[in-house]
Amino acid sequence: MPIVSTQHMDVAAGSLPTHQLLNVDGKRIPDEELDHHLKDLKEADLADFLRDMVVLRRMDNEATALQRQGQLGLWAPLLGQEAAQIGSVRATEDDDFIFPSYREHGVAWARGVQAEDLLSVWRGAQASGWDPNEVNIACQQIVIGSQALHAAGYGMGIKFDGGKQVSVAYFGDGATSQGDVSEAMVFAASYQAPVLFFCQNNQWAISEPVTLQSRTHIADRAHGFGLKTWRVDGNDILAVYAATKAALAHARHGLGPTFIEAVTYRMGSHTTADDPSRYRKAEQLEEWKAKDPIDRLVKYLHEMGADVQSYEQRAQNAADEMAAKLRAAITSMEDPKVEELFSNVYAEPHEPTQRAERNYLNYLADFEGGE
Ligand SMILES: Cc1ncc(C[n+]2csc(CCOP(=O)(O)OP(=O)(O)O)c2C)c(N)n1
């Protein structure tokens, strides 16, 4: 008898619906509430979504390979989460400010962060790959859920200033069990701040399944904080885009914070230091491969009668170009000086840090003169 339950309680009655605008066969499903948020999307935009997702998947593959070749210290793959990331970030305005976690490479890239700047952090060559104020996206957060507090504070600032921007926090299903995320939702709701909490429920928090993490759908948790909430198929780029548009419009109309649960799947490992075959069954991965977000958009473009081959070719070319530039940049990147590890900790001289630096340099010197 297990000591904890991994079964969702019966949340069917009264629970939020899961919006799906494109089914797994790429067929369009009408959605009374969300359809009008797609009215400005043209075929060219869908082709851009396809290109973005293909480039992103390639970046993710390259990064995983570079880590295996010793060029990166670590990487957190996003394989399978392309629609959740591209669909949401492409719905934001440039001056909305985003607070991402360590897996939102697609969100950062779509904001204009260069792939090599992103990866340089995972190589340990830079502490921060970009200036957040230039691209309106903070650096990737590793401390689970803490960026939700930053987003809530930023959203409160927008409200006090009378601005029209929205502050957006990205995090995973596991993060919703962190106190920080609950506190952020309480503050955002109390102040009716323009904050979008965007949760990618990729089913796993390292080796812990979401069904252990939460006895209800994640979206139902957020709803309980008084946030306008949507639960969407996170592998359906149209549903993600439309729900994000709806959430941002809600905030811009002064109606307060929102929450989106994008139901997706982490097809790769948690990080390159993880082996998911130790804790999950191969059949589950197969089941989700059939829901692949890129395949689904391609099927829809076929349904529309679009010239899919030319769009795929264009996407492939963009991916090849990005990959060649990325690989050249990373493999020729200089390692930072060891001293920089310490010099960037405090703005002012700081004796304990200086002592740590001296000790560490002495320790390394032992190796140079060693046997
Ligand atoms: C405050 C804190 N506790 C624990 C960890 C270790 N940790 C790293 S990733 C992770 C799981 C996060 O899962 P989830 O929020 O679902 O995001 P995902 O990795 O699936 O994108 C944990 C517990 C951490 N980084 N920060």
Side-chain angles (χ1 to χ4, degrees):
M1 176 82 174
I3 53 166
V4 288
S5 167
T6 57
Q7 294 300 307
H8 272 305
M9 60 191 248
D10 182 9
V11 288
S15 174
L16 294 166
T18 306
H19 293 269
Q20 188 185 59
L21 276 58
L22 277 186
N23 72 11
V24 288
D25 299 321
K27 299 247 179 346
R28 184 73 166 80
I29 302 167
D31 186 294
E32 224 172 274
E33 187 188 355
L34 293 180
D35 273 352
H36 72 280
H37 292 288
L38 300 179
K39 67 180 185 315
D40 295 331
L41 273 191
K42 311 259 179 319
E43 186 181 308
D45 298 310
L46 300 181
D48 286 351
F49 287 169
L50 176 66
R51 180 208 51 211
D52 289 352
M53 291 199 287
V54 168
V55 171
L56 183 53
R57 184 165 289 188
R58 181 67 174 277
M59 189 212 293
D60 193 50
N61 279 337
E62 288 292 332
T64 304
L66 283 163
Q67 195 282 333
R68 294 293 184 240
Q69 291 159 9
Q71 295 288 340
L72 302 184
L74 187 74
W75 181 248
L78 58 77
L79 183 63
Q81 298 180 218
E82 295 86 353
Q85 297 197 12
I86 297 298
S88 54
V89 68
R90 288 298 184 208
T92 62
E93 297 295 329
D94 288 347
D95 60 353
D96 293 330
F97 200 99
I98 297 175
F99 295 87
S101 88
Y102 48 83
R103 209 180 295 286
E104 272 80 59
H105 317 302
V107 177
W109 172 79
R111 275 278 151 153
V113 174
Q114 297 298 306
E116 48 273 30
D117 289 334
L118 244 167
L119 266 66
S120 69
V121 181
W122 295 84
R123 185 181 164 90
Q126 290 191 68
S128 154
W130 60 90
D131 177 348
N133 290 323
E134 274 176 16
V135 277
N136 286 337
I137 179 164
C139 298
Q140 294 185 315
Q141 180 58 263
I142 304 263
V143 181
I144 302 297
S146 57
Q147 73 276 20
L149 287 171
H150 308 158
Y154 195 98
M156 287 162 63
I158 296 172
K159 171 113 185 185
F160 296 147
D161 290 348
K164 277 286 169 216
Q165 312 96 293
V166 181
S167 164
V168 184
Y170 280 86
F171 48 85
D173 42 286
T176 63
S177 296
Q178 284 289 123
D180 282 2
V181 175
S182 292
E183 289 162 29
M185 291 196 284
V186 168
F187 267 83
S190 297
Y191 283 83
Q192 286 292 284
V195 184
L196 164 58
F197 295 93
F198 190 94
C199 175
Q200 289 175 83
N201 171 3
N202 66 8
Q203 311 300 321
W204 292 92
I206 313 184
S207 55
E208 190 160 301
V210 68
T211 44
L212 173 62
Q213 195 73 237
S214 178
R215 298 289 312 280
T216 65
H217 286 157
I218 299 291
D220 295 319
R221 281 184 165 178
H223 201 225
F225 283 87
L227 271 58
K228 170 81 178 147
T229 302
W230 292 265
R231 186 172 203 262
V232 299
D233 179 336
N235 286 10
D236 164 1
I237 196 160
L238 294 189
V240 173
Y241 179 86
T244 310
K245 279 278 181 205
L248 296 171
H250 184 92
R252 284 193 232 287
H253 281 115
L255 299 172
T258 52
F259 190 103
I260 293 174
E261 178 191 358
V263 184
T264 181
Y265 190 73
R266 192 197 79 213
M267 298 214 287
S269 55
H270 171 72
T271 66
T272 45
D274 167 55
D275 172 7
S277 70
R278 304 270 306 255
Y279 54 80
R280 69 185 189 190
K281 297 208 165 71
E283 301 90 76
Q284 192 183 53
L285 180 59
E286 291 309 312
E287 192 189 307
W288 280 88
K289 272 188 188 161
K291 302 180 192 173
D292 188 285
I294 299 183
D295 292 350
R296 197 179 310 190
L297 180 59
V298 167
K299 285 179 191 159
Y300 179 51
L301 285 165
H302 276 295
E303 283 280 323
M304 289 171 65
D307 180 0
V308 183
Q309 212 185 346
S310 75
Y311 293 147
E312 286 187 308
Q313 190 57 55
R314 188 183 71 134
Q316 200 52 54
N317 293 346
D320 288 346
E321 198 182 311
M322 179 279 305
K325 185 163 162 264
L326 174 62
R327 182 162 277 278
I330 293 296
T331 53
S332 60
M333 206 167 266
E334 277 183 32
D335 289 340
K337 292 199 170 57
V338 172
E339 292 86 332
E340 283 178 29
L341 271 176
F342 302 90
S343 59
N344 291 327
V345 177
Y346 288 94
E348 305 288 325
H350 183 252
E351 169 43 30
T353 308
Q354 289 168 330
R355 199 177 337 122
E357 178 180 347
R358 281 195 300 277
N359 288 342
Y360 191 56
L361 290 174
N362 284 340
Y363 167 73
L364 291 180
D366 282 350
F367 289 97
E368 280 159 24
E371 302 136 30

